[in-house]
Amino acid sequence: MRPTAHIHAIGTAVPAHDVHAPFIAWASSRIADRREQALFRRMAARSGIEHRWSVLPRASDGGSPVGAGGFYAGNRLPSTGRRMAFYAEAAPALALDAIEALKEKTPIEGITHLVVASCTGFVAPGVDQIIADRLGLDPGVERTLVGFMGCYAAVSALRVAHHIARSEPRARVLVVTVELSTLHLIETGEIGALLAMLQFADGAAAAIVSAEPSALAIERFFAATLPDSRDLIRWTIGDEGFEMHLSGEVPGRITSALHDPDTRQRILDGRRADELTWAVHAGGRSILDAVETALGLPEDALAPSRSVLRRFGNMSSATLMFVLADLMERPAPSDGVALAFGPGLAAEGFAFRGA
């Protein structure tokens, strides 16, 4: 029998600049129709989000990035090139903060493989190479960069680590997710686009995965792409940042998918949903409500996900790692499922158990 991969610990990090309230004020000022403006504020109040953190510095007067002297001030928003230049500096730094937090929980010596997931920026040499260099890892460390996959990229990164640990039992894999979503604000007065931007924030997480028995055993992975859904979540590269297209149909399509017998079988593998521990990507309150309702979960089943959403917002691929970190701080979980949604529209995840 092949060995089982285990997540030993997860460290997390967010920047120090809370931009949630300033963004709501900025976005409201761009909506011309007063009724739509009032609707936006009601939706923001019901979002389940209280804080979102950004790597962007405070403005020259101490205000937000959208204020006078801030990153987004002026008649024209920053070019994609300028945003990527910022990403090249800030993404590795935030990732290293998460690795420092990981060091407080478990040793990171002896790393043989590095897997990095990020979809909010590009730089070459890659974030993986920059991290390896700054950590002083062996020049022969094997690196994998998972790019532009969106919110379920943490699953992809952990799947790579899982296969490495199972095929090379002595491997010690460092998995990193880092996202700088706040680099991609766009100029718009359209309420749907503003509500999509309202969800996103910056964050990073780091984990150690190996075949050595430890906190969380990874069991099986699954994936399901919903039919006729490719336009529901899109992430395109524009001249002024990456543009997120998030359809209001997403929660309803997730509900339908989770009622589908084949999709339920892929996710549940014949088990009862209400008897499992759940780590669901905190993509938004409506997403969590859809999962909870469709699977018939108890009211507190998604408490870790709702807590992460409230404190940090949606940090794309890093979010699921934050939820898993929250679960691992609690008493050892029983059998569980990690689940995330992203472009496609696809659902990806894995089963786990307390080791």
Side-chain angles (χ1 to χ4, degrees):
M1 293 181 63
R2 288 189 177 183
T4 299
H6 293 76
I7 302 174
H8 291 227
I10 299 176
T12 62
V14 294
H17 189 183
D18 187 352
V19 294
H20 188 56
F23 174 84
I24 292 173
W26 176 86
S28 297
S29 71
R30 268 142 182 80
I31 302 173
D33 184 90
R34 289 192 175 184
R35 286 176 297 181
E36 284 200 345
Q37 189 179 89
L39 174 61
F40 174 82
R41 287 190 171 274
R42 285 198 302 272
M43 296 292 285
R46 297 177 56 193
S47 67
I49 302 172
E50 295 178 3
H51 305 283
R52 290 182 299 127
W53 308 91
S54 175
V55 295
L56 293 171
R58 297 186 182 277
S60 55
D61 63 355
S64 75
V66 293
F71 186 76
Y72 290 117
N75 295 327
R76 179 165 180 162
L77 293 181
S79 67
T80 300
R82 184 179 168 199
R83 299 179 200 225
M84 292 302 94
F86 199 105
Y87 173 91
E89 296 296 327
L94 188 59
L96 289 166
D97 287 344
I99 294 169
E100 285 299 316
L102 175 64
K103 287 181 182 179
E104 297 177 3
K105 300 180 178 181
T106 192
I108 70 162
E109 289 76 19
I111 299 301
T112 59
H113 298 72
L114 173 63
V115 182
V116 178
S118 185
C119 73
T120 47
F122 299 98
V123 60
V127 175
D128 56 321
Q129 291 175 283
I130 298 170
I131 291 171
D133 178 64
R134 294 187 186 174
L135 287 178
L137 298 182
D138 189 292
V141 66
E142 296 184 23
R143 295 174 286 99
T144 302
L145 181 61
V146 177
F148 220 56
M149 292 190 74
C151 294
Y152 51 64
V155 177
S156 302
L158 289 169
R159 184 168 55 229
V160 172
H162 160 84
H163 288 307
I164 292 170
R166 281 166 56 83
S167 62
E168 300 182 37
R170 295 184 180 180
R172 192 166 172 81
V173 188
L174 175 61
V175 177
V176 178
T177 57
V178 56
E179 302 291 5
L180 308 186
S181 303
T182 66
L183 282 182
H184 300 292
L185 182 145
I186 62 172
E187 180 63 69
T188 180
E190 200 273 311
I191 189 170
L194 292 169
L195 286 171
M197 287 188 286
L198 173 74
Q199 308 287 330
F200 289 95
D202 303 345
I208 292 291
V209 176
S210 84
E212 179 185 350
S214 189
L216 209 63
I218 301 174
E219 298 198 312
R220 58 178 186 87
F221 284 81
F222 58 83
T225 299
L226 281 60
D228 303 318
S229 63
R230 61 180 298 171
D231 290 331
L232 298 184
I233 299 179
R234 291 181 290 119
W235 189 229
T236 58
I237 301 175
D239 294 334
E240 295 180 344
F242 300 173
E243 299 176 15
M244 167 61 71
H245 305 269
L246 186 61
S247 170
E249 296 180 33
V250 169
R253 293 297 299 275
I254 288 174
T255 298
S256 297
L258 294 178
H259 281 301
D260 175 70
D262 290 340
T263 303
R264 288 179 73 95
Q265 176 60 25
R266 283 194 183 96
I267 295 172
L268 298 174
D269 195 31
R271 295 173 296 178
R272 285 175 52 103
D274 59 358
E275 294 178 350
L276 297 170
T277 298
W278 287 90
V280 179
H281 166 71
R285 178 181 172 180
S286 60
I287 302 294
L288 297 178
D289 289 347
V291 172
E292 183 180 292
T293 301
L295 294 177
L297 300 179
E299 187 175 338
D300 62 346
L302 302 185
S305 299
R306 295 188 190 279
S307 175
V308 168
L309 182 66
R310 183 181 69 254
R311 293 177 289 145
F312 306 112
N314 180 346
M315 299 164 286
S316 191
S317 73
T319 314
L320 184 62
M321 299 282 275
F322 274 65
V323 177
L324 289 166
D326 190 302
L327 276 177
M328 292 171 72
E329 294 295 328
R330 303 178 182 214
S334 57
D335 290 356
V337 171
L339 176 64
F341 303 93
L345 171 66
E348 298 207 9
F350 58 93
F352 62 83
R353 58 179 168 79

